[in-house]
Amino acid sequence: MSELKTIQVPDIGDADSVEIIEVLISDNQQLSIDDSLITVESDKASMEIPSPVAGTVTSVLVKPGDKVSAGSDILVMAINDTNDHTATEAPAQDTTSAPAKPKTNTFDSDAYDVVVIGAGPGGYTAAFRAADLGLNVALIERYESLGGVCLNVGCIPSKALLHTAAVIDEAKHLEKQGISFAEPSIDIDKLRSFKESVVGQLTNGLKGMAKQRKVTVLTGNASFESNTAVAIESSGATQSISFKNAIIAAGSQSVKIPGFPYDDERMLDSTRALELQSIPDKLLIIGGGIIGLEMGCVYAALGTKITVVELSDQLMPGCDADLLKPLQQKLSNDFEAIYTGSKVTKVEAAKNGLTAFFEGGKAPATEQYDKVLLAVGRSPNGLKLNATAAGVEVTERGYINVDQQQRTNVTNIFAIGDIVGQPMLAHKATHEGKVAAEVCAGKKSFFDARTIPSVAYTDPEVSWMGLTETDAKANGVEFEKASFPWAASGRNLSMGSKSGLTKILFDPNTKKILGAGIVGKNAGELIAEAVLALEMGADIEDLALTIHPHPTLSETLNFAAEVAEGTVTDIYLPKKRKR
Ligand code: FAD
């Protein structure tokens, strides 16, 4: 007959009251000697506590988050007879108190609590949050300038230029209101300096904040040596530093289509396009996604003739058709040509330009352009970090899978931002960075956001959050929709615009808000209210009964909710039942 035995935490050195971060057993599980029972984490190491005997788990007495010390009960086990043999062979050893086997090495006394690889929005946020929580942090970045893609060659420089583009466009449209300006004269060097000054202000600000927080910034290319050490290579010299926890925030890079003439400086990616070296007469943009269209809006306002070619049947694939319509209309006016359902098969460098060869749609067979911008997506940098040396699994495409605490398959290594998957957006990266830092500091943080909003800062802007109609239809999700056309918005009309739309998707039974989409001026700012409503579990009545200031564009969310309620008075809906 098997004997029941309570298995306890053995002597774990000088670590008292350590936290259980993982329970690796469940009821009725068969265990052999040395099978891992729980993982605990002290300030020195994470370690797995092995089973001292073989048998069957009858009840688990602990859960993640519990604090345990030597002698704390872990589980009750029905002991196998085979344990007798072990007992007679080694009678002097009390197997129930065998020393725990550290999973990772005991850390060097100079090991950083947290090493962050990559100083983009994910990485610097994680580093700063970890430092604010009292941890000793190193932030490794291969470039001198902190801020990653977003601050240096992404979100910020593109928005600086998009603002300029929007002002040029607005000035042109004032003609209808009797105000005419001369054609703008563009000093590209000054414009570039303005963009660079915005970037510089923010990236220098990061340097200052790193200093204030006593975060050690190390410049160089990081690669893993093990699950506790990372090598940093800079100008041929390599230094090694050790860590208790690492956060991978190494981001992504532009996808390249093989065979295009990348050595030719007229062949651009978004980084080169943002350098604003010159204003081409004719620019071909391959890829009609958000980045391609934003760059198109910038260069179109500066006077370039833009052609966009997109493989899918619509621009910004995945965006709802009603939101896309006003943008498509505007771009059809502002751009030279838009070819959807088409692709570029080849680009050849010629003396007078780059010759593009098209296939499909209404695109011509060939056409020559001064420059070509490739904007067909971004791929994660996971395969460039020697992550296997740390035991971190990386997918074939370079993504690193994580759990809701941003933890990889290796207990003390986390990953955040573009490298963990879509959507590749800065605000997702920063949120994940905070979660990872807080978990490193022992907090019970999780990534449990209900939605991550998307914004195209085009002219007009398009934003959406939560459920989209496209996804709802594809997945058979039941929803009702209420829309408010901006042609009835006093604020929109007073700004000289007639187009724009705000829509809300909601649950037909509970009336809870499921999603929202906006197209029009400042759509990127306006969507935040809908995100808050979704996070708060608001229903359509909450939005309809919230008093919004008048006249504002924010009212359009209120009016759309009133459309759903049948209480709207700013438009006439003859068929809607009135309350
Ligand atoms: P990144 O910002 O990519 O930073 C990663 C950092 O890691 C880089 O600085 C890199 O040099 C460093 N690194 C990589 N490997 C190593 C290594 N081995 N050793 C040391 N350092 C390393 N998102 C938005 O939310 N809003 C926008 O408006 C927006 N606009 C964009 C416009 C453009 C043109 C582009 C290209 C992107 C835009 N994005 C936007 C996306 C946004 O920039 C990314 O989602 C965001 O930067 C991802 O942050 P991250 O921290 O994951 O990585």
Side-chain angles (χ1 to χ4, degrees):
M1 243 184 62
S2 53
E3 175 200 347
L4 288 181
K5 189 170 181 108
T6 303
I7 309 297
Q8 294 169 334
V9 175
D11 178 5
I12 43 178
D14 56 0
D16 196 25
S17 189
V18 289
E19 183 177 334
I20 297 177
I21 56 169
E22 234 175 332
V23 174
L24 305 162
I25 45 168
S26 52
D27 286 354
N28 301 320
Q29 188 177 335
Q30 302 283 333
L31 293 177
S32 306
I33 292 176
D34 277 351
D35 279 355
S36 297
L37 303 174
I38 54 174
T39 309
V40 295
E41 196 167 57
S42 73
D43 57 351
K44 295 214 176 89
S46 64
M47 62 185 90
E48 287 178 6
I49 307 284
S51 177
V53 287
T56 308
V57 179
T58 61
S59 68
V60 180
L61 306 174
V62 289
K63 57 182 185 320
D66 286 353
K67 296 257 185 194
V68 289
S69 306
S72 302
D73 294 341
I74 305 175
L75 76 156
V76 181
M77 213 168 159
I79 306 286
N80 286 353
D81 292 344
T82 49
N83 286 303
D84 294 347
H85 178 64
T86 320
T88 42
E89 267 192 359
Q93 189 185 0
D94 177 7
T95 50
T96 55
S97 62
K101 283 199 305 189
K103 186 181 181 188
T104 55
N105 300 330
T106 303
F107 299 110
D108 299 348
S109 53
D110 58 352
Y112 286 96
D113 293 327
V114 182
V115 158
V116 182
I117 301 175
Y124 75 72
T125 303
F128 291 180
R129 180 77 180 117
D132 288 349
L133 289 167
L135 301 180
N136 177 21
V137 182
L139 175 60
I140 311 169
E141 169 55 53
R142 60 184 164 177
Y143 298 122
E144 284 291 339
S145 175
L146 304 182
V149 169
C150 178
L151 268 67
N152 291 285
V153 291
C155 329
I156 299 302
S158 61
K159 266 80 249 178
L161 298 178
L162 277 160
H163 172 73
T164 307
V167 173
I168 294 174
D169 191 73
E170 218 159 297
K172 208 186 283 174
H173 286 91
L174 276 181
E175 219 166 72
K176 286 184 212 148
Q177 294 158 42
I179 312 292
S180 304
F181 296 96
E183 275 298 300
S185 102
I186 293 162
D187 182 335
I188 193 169
D189 296 329
K190 257 195 182 162
L191 180 56
R192 194 184 314 110
S193 304
F194 162 69
K195 174 209 70 167
E196 280 163 8
S197 72
V198 175
V199 170
Q201 202 170 332
L202 289 168
T203 54
N204 287 332
L206 288 181
K207 266 191 195 157
M209 285 196 283
K211 219 176 192 174
Q212 285 167 323
R213 292 180 156 94
K214 301 191 173 31
V215 169
T216 306
V217 176
L218 300 166
T219 308
N221 201 52
S223 60
F224 282 100
E225 293 179 316
S226 70
N227 62 344
T228 56
V230 71
I232 305 161
E233 196 273 323
S234 174
S235 314
T238 303
Q239 65 163 316
S240 179
I241 59 168
S242 57
F243 59 81
K244 294 172 189 168
N245 297 287
I247 299 176
I248 304 171
S252 63
Q253 59 174 7
S254 298
V255 166
K256 284 190 169 155
I257 296 175
F260 286 8
Y262 296 106
D263 290 341
D264 193 308
E265 61 177 24
R266 296 168 297 181
M267 186 80 215
L268 312 176
D269 58 9
S270 58
T271 300
R272 276 200 199 164
L274 285 166
E275 280 170 10
L276 216 62
Q277 287 307 331
S278 63
I279 302 171
D281 186 34
K282 280 176 76 183
L283 173 67
L284 170 67
I285 300 177
I286 306 174
I290 292 179
I291 292 177
L293 296 184
E294 285 184 1
M295 294 315 305
C297 289
V298 168
Y299 275 93
L302 298 178
T304 300
K305 294 185 193 77
I306 303 288
T307 296
V308 173
V309 60
E310 164 58 46
L311 190 59
S312 307
D313 289 336
Q314 69 163 58
L315 295 176
M316 294 206 306
C319 177
D320 286 351
D322 53 355
L323 298 178
L324 195 58
K325 206 171 154 199
L327 174 65
Q328 177 101 30
Q329 272 168 357
K330 174 91 167 55
L331 296 185
S332 302
N333 274 332
D334 294 353
F335 291 1
E336 187 78 359
I338 297 172
Y339 303 123
T340 51
S342 313
K343 68 176 178 185
V344 173
T345 51
K346 201 165 49 163
V347 177
E348 269 180 10
K351 196 167 163 235
N352 298 326
L354 294 171
T355 310
F357 296 76
F358 299 92
E359 216 176 78
K362 291 185 179 158
T366 60
E367 181 82 48
Q368 201 169 70
Y369 298 89
D370 299 313
K371 292 193 179 180
V372 173
L373 163 62
L374 186 65
V376 292
R378 300 186 60 82
S379 66
N381 288 331
L383 294 168
K384 297 177 174 173
L385 299 161
N386 197 29
T388 42
V392 174
E393 286 162 12
V394 183
T395 70
E396 252 174 58
R397 295 179 58 201
Y399 287 109
I400 297 176
N401 290 325
V402 290
D403 65 13
Q404 268 195 300
Q405 292 195 302
Q406 305 303 134
R407 207 186 288 271
T408 67
N409 62 305
V410 177
T411 318
N412 62 324
I413 302 184
F414 300 76
I416 57 172
D418 284 5
I419 212 162
V420 305
Q422 299 289 346
M424 288 190 178
L425 293 171
H427 41 283
K428 186 199 71 141
T430 55
H431 198 85
E432 290 173 341
K434 285 193 177 159
V435 170
E438 287 166 8
V439 175
C440 289
K443 291 190 174 291
K444 311 252 170 304
S445 300
F446 292 86
F447 189 97
D448 55 4
R450 291 192 171 167
T451 188
I452 300 161
S454 291
V455 181
Y457 297 85
T458 41
D459 184 8
E461 291 185 359
V462 188
S463 63
W464 61 95
M465 69 99 215
L467 184 70
T468 63
E469 269 187 83
T470 312
D471 281 349
K473 284 173 188 158
N475 301 315
V477 180
E478 241 193 298
F479 68 95
E480 266 187 52
K481 170 167 105 162
S483 304
F484 185 82
W486 284 24
S489 156
R491 186 63 196 266
N492 188 45
L493 293 176
S494 61
M495 291 191 297
S497 162
K498 287 184 184 141
S499 68
L501 179 85
T502 297
K503 70 167 174 184
I504 305 175
L505 307 187
F506 58 99
D507 186 303
N509 303 311
T510 65
K511 308 288 179 202
K512 289 238 185 239
I513 289 156
L514 300 175
I518 304 175
V519 54
K521 215 171 261 302
N522 291 341
E525 304 285 344
L526 298 172
I527 200 70
E529 180 183 350
V531 176
L532 182 65
L534 186 77
E535 283 290 345
M536 302 291 287
D539 60 26
I540 205 81
E541 194 178 36
D542 292 321
L543 272 183
L545 293 182
T546 300
I547 297 179
H548 287 64
H550 175 78
T552 59
L553 297 173
S554 70
E555 275 177 315
T556 63
L557 264 166
N558 179 231
F559 295 151
E562 288 183 341
V563 166
E565 290 282 272
T567 57
V568 72
T569 50
D570 281 62
I571 48 172
Y572 179 60
L573 295 176
K575 284 187 199 136
K576 188 83 196 175
R577 182 175 56 83
K578 305 208 173 46
R579 286 193 174 179

